[in-house]
Amino acid sequence: MSDAAQPTAAEVRAAVEAVKTALDRHLAAVERRTGEDDQAVYEAFNELASAAETYDELLYDRYDEVTPFEIPGAEDSLPPYAGPGEPNAVSVLIRRDYSVAEPQRLLAQAQRVEAAEYEDGEGANDDAAATVPGALGVLFGEFEPDEIASRHKEFGLEEGDSTLWVTAVDEPAEPGEWLEAPFDQVDPERVLCRFDVSAVFDEDHEDDDEDHEDPEDDDEGLDELDADDELDGDDDLEPLDAER
């Protein structure tokens, strides 16, 4: 950075004062916390992170020094909330990833859904549940996403990462307005809260568990897996809701 572009000593001093103010506000918000998801604490945390990052950058540019502060995931985190103070409506964005762990189980469950829906055989599409894409269409068309999530193993699926974003909107969208591109117009500054679930969060715990495993327990687990590993027709499938 050239000398002309360097911040002034006054700008660095102002930045550190902003950090002090943000620290006081964060502590005050924590002391007044009303629950685990207190919006005031969330906003105060983001303001503190932003102020600390600004100070760190200016300090380095001016004096070639750094701070000992590190904000986890600061580059990937959402910006401070800048939406309406009292939102009239919210939009909930959800993504859940799955892998098809047991294709035969998936196909069998989809075929059972088709058979239950067309008990008399009329109107049934024999090819609909005969392929993995068709079976996925049958199951996701029959069950709500939350039910798929709670019964994913029953359907031969394995959970991957998932995320849920709650965003503030000025007014509810018109029917059909966003269906073609549901995630294209998300404003990060209007995200009220976000919840992520990922296997990477559990890696450290899994490593600790592996260090304390008993070899004898491993052998027993393998024996049980060998005995129950293969599906045995419909006997190995969980019952579907009779009235579906």
Side-chain angles (χ1 to χ4, degrees):
M1 177 177 287
S2 67
D3 293 339
Q6 285 184 345
T8 65
E11 289 175 328
V12 179
R13 174 60 59 182
V16 77
E17 292 299 327
V19 172
K20 296 176 183 178
T21 300
L23 280 168
D24 289 337
R25 290 177 177 173
H26 182 259
L27 177 59
V30 171
E31 290 173 337
R32 296 193 301 267
R33 181 196 297 273
T34 58
E36 291 185 1
D37 299 324
D38 191 296
Q39 184 65 27
V41 175
Y42 176 80
E43 293 175 357
F45 174 88
N46 285 333
E47 291 175 2
L48 176 57
S50 178
E53 184 177 8
T54 299
Y55 170 60
D56 189 88
E57 292 176 354
L58 293 177
L59 185 71
Y60 181 79
D61 291 342
R62 176 68 184 182
Y63 299 110
D64 198 25
E65 291 289 344
V66 296
T67 68
F69 308 134
E70 181 178 356
I71 306 300
E75 294 182 355
D76 299 326
S77 63
L78 293 169
Y81 176 72
E86 297 183 3
N88 294 321
V90 297
S91 180
V92 180
L93 309 179
I94 302 175
R95 171 174 171 171
R96 296 188 179 113
D97 284 2
Y98 299 95
S99 58
V100 180
E102 299 179 77
Q104 293 304 318
R105 179 182 288 274
L106 174 73
L107 294 169
Q109 291 287 35
Q111 290 164 6
R112 293 179 68 192
V113 169
E114 288 284 88
E117 186 172 354
Y118 302 102
E119 293 182 358
D120 57 2
E122 295 183 3
N125 184 351
D126 295 335
D127 296 331
T131 65
V132 169
L136 288 168
V138 169
L139 291 176
F140 278 88
E142 175 69 14
F143 300 101
E144 294 291 335
D146 287 343
E147 187 167 5
I148 294 286
S150 65
R151 302 173 63 180
H152 64 277
K153 291 184 178 179
E154 176 185 337
F155 300 138
L157 302 175
E158 182 176 329
E159 283 185 314
D161 290 355
S162 66
T163 186
L164 182 151
W165 295 28
V166 181
T167 66
V169 296
D170 294 325
E171 298 292 341
E174 294 294 330
E177 182 179 6
W178 51 263
L179 296 180
E180 294 299 323
F183 302 107
D184 285 358
Q185 298 180 350
V186 179
D187 183 351
E189 293 188 348
R190 285 182 166 239
V191 176
L192 293 163
C193 53
R194 170 180 172 177
F195 304 96
D196 298 324
V197 176
S198 175
V200 299
F201 300 150
D202 301 325
E203 286 180 354
D204 293 339
H205 298 293
E206 291 175 359
D207 292 340
D208 293 341
D209 293 341
E210 289 175 0
D211 292 339
H212 295 86
E213 283 182 352
D214 188 338
E216 295 183 0
D217 292 340
D218 289 345
D219 294 339
E220 293 178 1
L222 289 174
D223 293 340
E224 293 177 1
L225 180 60
D226 292 339
D228 301 330
D229 190 39
E230 297 183 358
L231 292 175
D232 183 17
D234 290 345
D235 294 340
D236 195 47
L237 298 173
E238 296 291 336
L240 294 170
D241 295 340
E243 298 182 357
R244 285 191 173 276

